[in-house]
Amino acid sequence: MPDKELTVAQRMTLLALMIKAGTLPRTFLANTVKISLDKTKRTELVAQKLITVTESPIILELTEEGWGRAIQEFEKGVPQRGGALGGTLYLLLGFLRAHFERNDLSAAEFFASISSQQSPGFASTPEPADDSDIEAEIRRAYDGAAPRPGAYVMLEDLRKALPSGFGAGAVDDALLRLDRAPDVHLIPESNQKVLTRGQRDAAIRIGNQDMHLLAIRAR
């Protein structure tokens, strides 16, 4: 049933799809919006006819019923354990509802008009179809940047060599996964004084240390 109580992740997914007023890759929701919607919860939304999902890559879109359910969030309370961010979000939703009512606007018209004014890639920037794609691209970028297998390369140079479609958060997640591989090594720069601002910003934190350099041994 469409009015079945939804989880916080499901509610946030509907809101994100409404705000973007278009299709969104699952990886965008996970890596950029930080919504972890597993397959079971995603399937529940499909069964309730709130979203449609295409596979390979996984792309989500609101149905007409989904738009209606997302709009219901404008009148709902803060989710349990929503915290300060949840409280602020629902304060904003209440403000938007009042704005729509005063100006005789629909949520669909409002968000579609905003989305159309964004840069062309804002709503439809291709996201990697699979986490392994990013890891493979990192390995390819390393091969192009390293003078020889096993040589250390600055993460700043590695990030610059990656395709532009990858978000910083997705690359960080892939680096953390790769760090567990036996042929991959991430280390800090021993002489911190020589680091540039760009090299510091490109670092990834593991434990209590910033890692600036990556090496991949020949396999």
Side-chain angles (χ1 to χ4, degrees):
M1 293 289 294
D3 354 349
K4 176 183 174 184
E5 190 60 33
L6 303 178
T7 66
V8 171
Q10 288 172 326
R11 292 167 68 176
M12 296 304 105
T13 296
L14 297 184
L15 285 174
L17 289 169
M18 177 182 66
I19 291 167
K20 296 292 277 185
T23 59
L24 282 180
R26 176 194 65 83
T27 48
F28 179 91
L29 290 167
N31 298 329
T32 303
V33 193
K34 307 301 182 186
I35 298 175
S36 298
L37 186 73
D38 61 33
K39 185 176 181 180
T40 300
K41 298 304 180 187
R42 194 165 64 240
T43 302
E44 288 177 0
L45 291 179
V46 173
Q48 295 177 55
K49 299 182 179 178
L50 299 177
I51 64 170
T52 59
V53 178
T54 58
E55 302 289 334
S56 300
I58 297 171
I59 306 290
L60 289 72
E61 185 173 13
L62 280 181
T63 63
E64 187 174 343
E65 293 90 339
W67 270 95
R69 180 60 185 80
I71 291 168
Q72 288 179 24
E73 289 297 318
F74 286 67
E75 300 180 355
K76 287 188 172 288
V78 183
Q80 191 174 12
R81 296 190 299 276
L85 287 176
T88 305
L89 169 63
Y90 279 80
L91 178 66
L92 174 61
L93 291 179
F95 173 84
L96 285 175
R97 178 170 60 87
H99 175 73
F100 294 158
E101 290 173 354
R102 281 196 307 269
N103 294 278
D104 195 24
L105 279 174
S106 74
E109 290 170 338
F110 176 77
F111 288 114
S113 68
I114 296 298
S115 182
S116 67
Q117 294 171 29
Q118 301 291 339
S119 61
F122 183 73
S124 57
T125 299
E127 292 285 330
D130 192 279
D131 291 338
S132 60
D133 290 354
I134 312 178
E135 296 173 26
E137 288 292 347
I138 289 173
R139 288 181 178 275
R140 276 192 283 272
Y142 173 82
D143 289 341
R148 63 186 181 283
Y152 281 99
V153 171
M154 277 288 176
L155 288 183
E156 180 188 28
D157 298 329
L158 190 74
R159 291 181 190 271
K160 288 178 180 177
L162 288 171
S164 59
F166 296 127
V171 173
D172 287 350
D173 291 342
L175 286 170
L176 290 172
R177 289 191 300 272
L178 281 170
D179 187 50
R180 296 194 288 268
D183 61 326
V184 176
H185 300 279
L186 281 158
I187 64 169
E189 167 58 53
S190 57
N191 184 1
Q192 302 279 307
K193 293 180 180 179
V194 305
L195 290 171
T196 66
R197 168 58 69 89
Q199 291 168 341
R200 292 181 189 277
D201 291 344
I204 183 169
R205 195 159 188 83
I206 299 178
N208 61 352
Q209 277 191 309
D210 286 337
M211 305 298 175
H212 311 93
L213 296 150
L214 176 140
I216 302 179
R217 294 199 313 268
R219 290 186 289 180

